Amino acid sequence: MSFEALGLNPFILRALAESGYEAPTQVQQDAVPAALDGRDLLVSSRTGSGKTAAFMLPSLHRLSGVACGEVRGPRVLVLTPTRELAAQVSGAAKKYGRYVRDSRVVSVVGGVPYPAQNRMLAGRYEILVATPGRLIDQLDRGRIDFSRVEVLVLDEADRMLDMGFIEDIETVVAKLPTERQTLMFSATLDVRIARLARNMLRDPLAINIASQEAKPDIEQRLLLADGLGHKNRMLEHILRGTDVQQAIVFTSTKRGADLLASDLEQSGFLTAALHGDMRQSQRNRALDQLRRGRLRVLVATDVAARGIDVQGISHVINFDLPKSAEDYVHRIGRTGRAGRAGIAITLVENREYRQIKSIERYLRLEIPMHTLPGLEPKSRLERPVDERRPRPPRKWTGTRTAAPGGRPPSRSGEERHRGARPAAAGSKAGRW
Ligand code: ADP
Ligand code: MG
């Protein structure tokens, strides 16, 4: 399919040709015609798939049509979670719209001195790209007239929710004309996104490309750990590897995240923690530093790490096991962004075999066991001998609290493996 076939204004086609774009990406093929028809969209598609043009091209096409009298204020409003993304989107709008007459872009983000921003807001412009905080600030000061907004775009809606912008978004949307087109983009879909969509979109067309495209490569590995000390040594060994660009290390508790982050910091790694007990500003700072490459290691809990999308993350390390197979999938999805390969390493203790088994069943694959030279485990993975015997379902309780005595009948199995080392078997006995 060609861009011409999408029915875009020739001025836009010319800019695309000059940008070196030969054909629309999948998400552009699906989203552009529907947006040109005026429909609301809920689009989920992975990072790097071309979402910016998917909402900017139809919006520019709209601007290239009927001009809009003397009224000031934006006709297209794009909300983004971060300043960096706002800059990227503004740049794209200028690039794709360079031959469209009335497509002036103004960006309203925090950290920029007011006078220059105020001057731009006082002039004529059609496209406003903004982060929620400063936008509300400028709205409260009466510097923006929303009465002619025709299109609202929520870019990276999942990240905006992760960053705690939900109330800000609601405040902004409440001030917009109800008669408008709303285009919502997200790299992931979950219940929160669905709820937001229900409140803000009208009869949206849902486009979900993520599930159709091949997932980026994530190599998964297991490392058997003898205990906490061994885990710590293996973690440091991994993090010192030259192949590690940036890593997210997952712990099961907030306190565990703080402790491990301070340990790693003391060992000389540029590290920060990320969890739900931290203030939003601290969380934003940690994520921002991660994105800028000023952190090598982020130690995070599950909830806090949802939706993190940083291309430099080469490794995800499960220091503690996740509470469910779904959480495992979310965790390892923090690496392998934008089509790059990623490595996901799970440290597992012998008694946690069942959780691993359950993850493997969920993924329908076996995660290969690796060892680190010089840090081989003293134990071996004990495959329960009574695996096929039906047993009542047990809830996962997390690494630290996993109930001991999971399989007393397999004692003999353990001794078969450990027969040659009675001392080791004795010292471990209490754990079974
Ligand atoms: P997303 O928002 O989905 O993460 P972007 O809109 O930022 O993706 O686009 C990712 C990259 O792909 C950008 O560098 C952009 O210029 C480029 N790109 C987008 N659409 C096309 C296209 N149709 N052909 C070639 N390159 C494209
Ligand atoms: Mg994007």
Side-chain angles (χ1 to χ4, degrees):
M1 187 184 259
S2 66
F3 278 111
E4 283 76 9
L6 296 178
L8 291 164
N9 181 305
F11 287 127
I12 299 174
L13 296 176
R14 186 170 152 201
L16 288 172
E18 286 180 10
S19 302
Y21 291 12
E22 284 167 10
T25 64
Q26 186 63 50
V27 69
Q28 291 160 7
Q29 284 179 37
D30 292 352
V32 171
L36 288 174
D37 277 348
R39 286 203 68 171
D40 281 6
L41 300 181
L42 170 58
V43 182
S44 119
S45 160
R46 66 174 174 76
T47 308
S49 55
K51 293 190 284 294
T52 318
F55 61 75
M56 201 44 86
L57 300 181
S59 300
L60 284 165
H61 183 89
R62 184 188 279 264
L63 295 178
S64 72
V66 202
C68 198
E70 276 307 299
V71 198
R72 303 262 157 133
R75 292 177 65 189
V76 175
L77 171 65
V78 183
L79 290 182
T80 72
T82 62
R83 298 170 198 176
E84 292 78 13
L85 185 60
Q88 234 169 288
V89 171
S90 304
K94 286 175 190 160
K95 184 164 80 169
Y96 306 144
R98 65 204 292 187
Y99 301 115
V100 176
R101 237 185 90 220
D102 293 313
S103 66
R104 283 156 289 209
V105 185
V106 166
S107 172
V108 165
V109 296
V112 173
Y114 280 88
Q117 211 168 67
N118 297 348
R119 253 195 318 279
M120 295 207 286
L121 287 174
R124 290 205 58 156
Y125 62 96
E126 287 75 26
I127 301 172
L128 178 61
V129 183
T131 50
R134 180 62 75 90
L135 179 63
I136 288 180
D137 194 7
Q138 292 286 26
L139 277 173
D140 289 345
R141 291 162 197 248
R143 296 210 178 95
I144 302 170
D145 179 357
F146 270 169
S147 62
R148 66 169 191 168
V149 171
E150 295 164 52
V151 183
L152 166 68
V153 178
L154 299 168
D155 195 14
E156 304 207 357
D158 47 352
R159 213 155 112 195
M160 287 201 272
L161 295 183
D162 286 334
M163 292 173 70
F165 285 141
I166 180 69
E167 281 172 23
D168 287 351
I169 295 172
E170 283 167 352
T171 306
V172 170
V173 171
K175 293 188 198 302
L176 294 172
T178 47
E179 212 33 63
R180 61 161 201 268
Q181 180 179 40
T182 308
L183 310 175
M184 196 161 129
F185 288 75
S186 174
T188 56
L189 285 181
D190 56 29
V191 283
R192 302 167 316 152
I193 295 289
R195 199 175 309 131
L196 190 68
R198 229 185 358 262
N199 294 337
M200 297 188 181
L201 303 176
R202 257 197 320 210
D203 182 29
L205 177 69
I207 296 174
N208 183 1
I209 310 286
S211 59
Q212 297 164 23
E213 278 180 12
K215 291 241 159 48
D217 258 6
I218 300 173
E219 191 196 327
Q220 303 173 59
R221 301 175 185 169
L222 291 179
L223 283 177
L224 187 59
D226 294 325
L228 191 57
H230 189 211
K231 275 191 181 183
N232 281 321
R233 287 193 297 279
M234 290 202 288
L235 178 63
E236 284 211 14
H237 183 278
I238 297 164
L239 292 177
R240 293 204 192 285
T242 49
D243 57 333
V244 177
Q245 205 178 337
Q246 287 179 302
I248 298 190
V249 179
F250 282 97
T251 62
S252 54
T253 65
K254 298 166 191 171
R255 180 160 165 71
D258 278 333
L259 288 174
L260 190 56
S262 87
D263 280 357
L264 290 171
E265 186 78 48
Q266 277 174 23
S267 301
F269 297 100
L270 292 170
T271 310
L274 185 78
H275 58 67
D277 280 352
M278 291 162 58
R279 283 197 308 276
Q280 188 61 44
S281 59
Q282 294 175 307
R283 291 164 65 170
N284 291 350
R285 178 146 29 90
L287 282 175
D288 202 50
Q289 288 185 318
L290 189 71
R291 281 198 191 94
R292 290 164 193 265
R294 294 192 186 144
L295 284 181
R296 271 201 78 215
V297 185
L298 186 73
V299 185
T301 56
D302 287 280
V303 178
R306 288 257 162 149
I308 291 182
D309 179 13
V310 176
Q311 300 207 354
I313 296 171
S314 57
H315 287 62
V316 164
I317 299 158
N318 293 317
F319 190 80
D320 295 329
L321 282 192
K323 287 188 193 66
S324 69
E326 259 184 32
D327 280 349
Y328 176 85
V329 173
H330 279 289
R331 284 182 178 190
I332 72 169
R334 299 309 112 217
T335 186
R337 311 302 284 181
R340 295 189 202 188
I343 294 179
I345 302 174
T346 300
L347 306 185
V348 56
E349 292 183 53
N350 230 325
R351 62 192 159 85
E352 297 167 323
Y353 174 77
R354 268 173 214 293
Q355 281 101 306
I356 292 299
K357 202 71 213 160
S358 150
I359 290 169
E360 289 179 337
R361 259 198 305 272
Y362 183 86
L363 298 172
R364 297 208 179 82
L365 56 80
E366 187 168 313
I367 309 172
M369 182 67 75
H370 285 237
T371 51
L372 301 176
L375 286 171
E376 291 82 0
K378 293 195 180 65
S379 51
R380 283 169 40 185
L381 191 68
E382 310 279 356
R383 310 229 162 214
V385 291
D386 55 347
E387 229 200 319
R388 268 155 295 149
R389 213 173 62 188
R391 56 175 63 237
R394 262 197 304 165
K395 261 198 163 163
W396 286 16
T397 47
T399 21
R400 299 270 177 256
T401 51
R407 49 172 200 91
S410 65
R411 214 33 221 263
S412 57
E414 176 186 315
E415 263 134 35
R416 259 207 310 280
H417 286 298
R418 294 221 176 111
R421 296 206 336 253
S427 68
K428 296 272 172 187
R431 292 178 45 197
W432 296 97

